[in-house]
């Protein structure tokens, strides 16, 4: 509930948190993973939909493949991924306390974004 309130007040500042959760839930659903963490780095000068990098960690198998998929998902959501080599900070992982309904919504959202992105 607090996340929804923050997103409604200042969507640019907190949208990345929702996107991290949605990508995490999408990967979990797609590959039937019980534990996966999506790690997003951002340069201190980046705002909105600008990030420095994406990585999937603590994955049981194929972490490079999952990182590539997470990277594409963020591109499909409209993010610009650019690592300039400057100092970065990491966003926290998705807390993982989501309902089945939220997981299905996240999966549908990311799949739709990927379809649109790949069609262009």
């Amino acid at each position: 509930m607090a996340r929804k309130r923050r997103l409604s007040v200042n969507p640019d500042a907190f949208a990345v948190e929702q996107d991290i959760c949605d990508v995490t839930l999408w990967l979990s659903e797609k590959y039937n993973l019980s534990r996966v963490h999506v790690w997003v780095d951002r340069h201190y000068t980046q705002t909105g939909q600008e990030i420095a990098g994406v990585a999937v960690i603590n994955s049981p198998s194929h972490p490079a493949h999952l990182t590539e998929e997470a990277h594409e998902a963020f591109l499909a959501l409209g993010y610009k991924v650019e690592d300039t080599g400057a100092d970065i900070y990491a966003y926290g992982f998705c807390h993982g306390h989501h309902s089945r309904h939220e997981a299905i919504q996240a999966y549908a959202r990311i799949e739709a974004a990927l379809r649109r992105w790949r069609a262009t």
Side-chain angles (χ1 to χ4, degrees), residues 52-71:
V54 178
V56 175
I57 58 175
N58 290 356
S59 155
S61 62
H62 310 295
H65 173 68
L66 294 177
T67 291
E68 188 177 306
E69 292 220 29
H71 180 90

Side-chain angles (χ1 to χ4, degrees), residues 11-21 23 38-56 67-92:
D12 268 357
F14 300 107
V16 70
E17 292 177 7
Q18 184 64 52
D19 293 339
I20 291 169
C21 278
V23 171
V38 176
W39 182 273
V40 172
D41 290 326
R42 180 177 263 177
H43 296 294
Y44 288 95
T45 58
Q46 291 176 317
T47 60
Q49 288 190 300
E50 300 173 326
I51 57 176
V54 178
V56 175
T67 291
E68 188 177 306
E69 292 220 29
H71 180 90
E72 281 189 3
F74 275 92
L75 292 174
L77 291 171
Y79 282 82
K80 179 180 178 186
V81 182
E82 182 180 11
D83 187 356
T84 63
D87 290 344
I88 58 172
Y89 64 96
Y91 272 92

Side-chain angles (χ1 to χ4, degrees), residues 1-7 11-26 74 77 79 91-95 98 102-103 105-106 109-110:
M1 190 153 173
R3 174 177 285 148
K4 285 182 183 178
R5 189 163 79 45
R6 288 187 308 176
L7 283 168
D12 268 357
F14 300 107
V16 70
E17 292 177 7
Q18 184 64 52
D19 293 339
I20 291 169
C21 278
D22 285 355
V23 171
T24 300
L25 292 168
W26 170 71
F74 275 92
L77 291 171
Y79 282 82
Y91 272 92
F93 301 130
C94 181
H95 62 76
H98 297 280
E102 289 171 313
Q105 279 185 313
R109 177 178 177 238
I110 301 303

